[in-house]
């Protein structure tokens, strides 16, 4: 699905981005760097904060989390929840298969080929569950993988002493609402940016 490509020809979408930036600029978030846009020299557009140009896809992606080789697409603003759901089903399916194979070993008989398959499934389960928990942790703090991994590159991700600071964190409930339901649902109520320890 579309990860949130920023179409350079869509003037309405670009206007919505700039209105969103101006609306957030009027809020009580202390860091004024949040509202700067950057120019993409590849796409020749101004792109909003948290967007990034993907060298693999060749597009600027709004709230780019990462480019995923398993789905052969970027994970961004519009498809992150579907990627998260994909991880939930992948972990659940791998766990069920591991349990079924273990039950086969206990109640029927041991099989070497099935044992090799179990080892592969255990590796898939371990890696995919760690990715699922990492994505859940990022969602709980309203962070993107790109921001978390590359925070020293972004001035808006540092406090006055150049330490990590998350200006997007509005508390667990509002962060999860924003990530799963969208910006407009999570905007009700007050919240201040909190440093992430």
């Amino acid at each position: 699905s579309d990860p949130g490509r920023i179409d350079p020809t869509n003037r309405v979408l670009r206007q919505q981005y700039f209105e969103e930036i101006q609306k957030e600029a009027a809020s009580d978030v202390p860091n004024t760097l949040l509202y700067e846009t950057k120019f993409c020299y590849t796409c020749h557009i101004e792109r909003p904060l948290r967007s990034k140009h993907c060298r693999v896809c060749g597009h600027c992606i709004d709230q780019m989390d990462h480019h995923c080789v398993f789905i052969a697409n970027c994970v961004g603003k519009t498809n992150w929840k579907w990627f998260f759901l994909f991880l939930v089903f992948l972990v659940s399916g791998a766990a069920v298969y591991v349990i079924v194979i273990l039950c086969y070993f206990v109640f029927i008989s041991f099989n070497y080929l099935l044992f090799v398959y179990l080892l592969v499934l255990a590796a898939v389960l371990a890696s995919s569950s760690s990715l699922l928990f990492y994505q859940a942790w990022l969602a709980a703090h309203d962070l993107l993988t790109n921001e978390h991994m590359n925070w020293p590159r972004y001035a808006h991700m540092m406090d006055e002493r150049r330490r990590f600071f998350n200006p997007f964190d509005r508390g667990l409930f509002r962060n999860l609402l924003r990530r799963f339901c969208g910006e407009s649902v999570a905007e009700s109520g007050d919240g201040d940016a909190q440093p992430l320890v």
Side-chain angles (χ1 to χ4, degrees):
S1 67
D2 177 29
R5 286 185 187 93
I6 301 172
D7 183 9
T9 61
N10 190 338
R11 296 188 190 283
V12 174
L13 187 60
R14 289 180 68 190
Q15 184 62 33
Q16 286 174 352
Y17 285 132
F18 292 118
E19 287 172 5
E20 189 177 303
I21 289 169
Q22 290 171 349
K23 186 170 71 174
E24 285 190 29
S27 72
D28 59 349
V29 179
N31 193 342
T32 57
L33 289 171
L34 288 177
Y35 318 109
E36 292 183 358
T37 57
K38 302 232 180 206
F39 188 77
C40 177
Y41 292 98
T42 307
C43 296
H44 303 291
I45 60 169
E46 282 190 77
R47 52 186 171 85
L49 189 72
R50 303 186 94 181
S51 64
K52 188 174 185 307
H53 183 84
C54 178
R55 288 179 278 169
V56 179
C57 292
H59 297 283
C60 284
I61 308 296
D62 191 13
Q63 293 186 19
M64 167 125 173
D65 192 78
H66 66 285
H67 184 88
C68 181
V69 295
F70 299 112
I71 62 171
N73 198 6
C74 287
V75 177
K77 181 178 184 176
T78 58
N79 70 346
W80 181 89
K81 61 185 165 190
W82 303 115
F83 175 72
F84 189 81
L85 194 61
F86 164 72
L87 289 177
V88 167
F89 284 121
L90 179 64
V91 168
S92 302
V96 166
Y97 272 117
V98 166
I99 291 168
V100 167
I101 292 172
L102 290 175
C103 288
Y104 182 85
F105 287 161
V106 170
F107 297 114
I108 298 175
S109 72
F110 184 81
N111 182 324
Y112 286 107
L113 185 61
L114 208 52
F115 181 72
V116 171
Y117 185 60
L118 177 67
L119 293 178
V120 170
L121 270 177
V124 167
L125 181 61
S127 61
S128 58
S129 60
S130 65
L131 181 58
L132 174 66
F133 288 121
Y134 178 62
Q135 288 294 319
W137 182 86
L138 289 174
H141 297 288
D142 198 8
L143 277 173
L144 305 171
T145 303
N146 178 46
E147 293 169 340
H148 187 243
M149 296 294 184
N150 300 314
W151 68 267
R153 295 183 189 174
Y154 303 117
H156 66 273
M157 298 300 293
M158 290 185 260
D159 64 8
E160 301 81 32
R161 294 189 225 165
R162 316 265 317 148
R163 292 181 302 181
F164 179 78
F165 174 76
N166 181 8
F168 306 106
D169 192 359
R170 300 287 184 257
L172 176 66
F173 182 70
R174 287 184 64 200
N175 290 343
L176 293 177
L177 266 180
R178 184 176 187 176
R179 199 51 93 84
F180 287 102
C181 301
E183 312 273 337
S184 58
V185 175
E187 285 181 17
S188 59
D190 293 322
D192 295 328
Q194 302 294 324
L196 185 61
V197 180

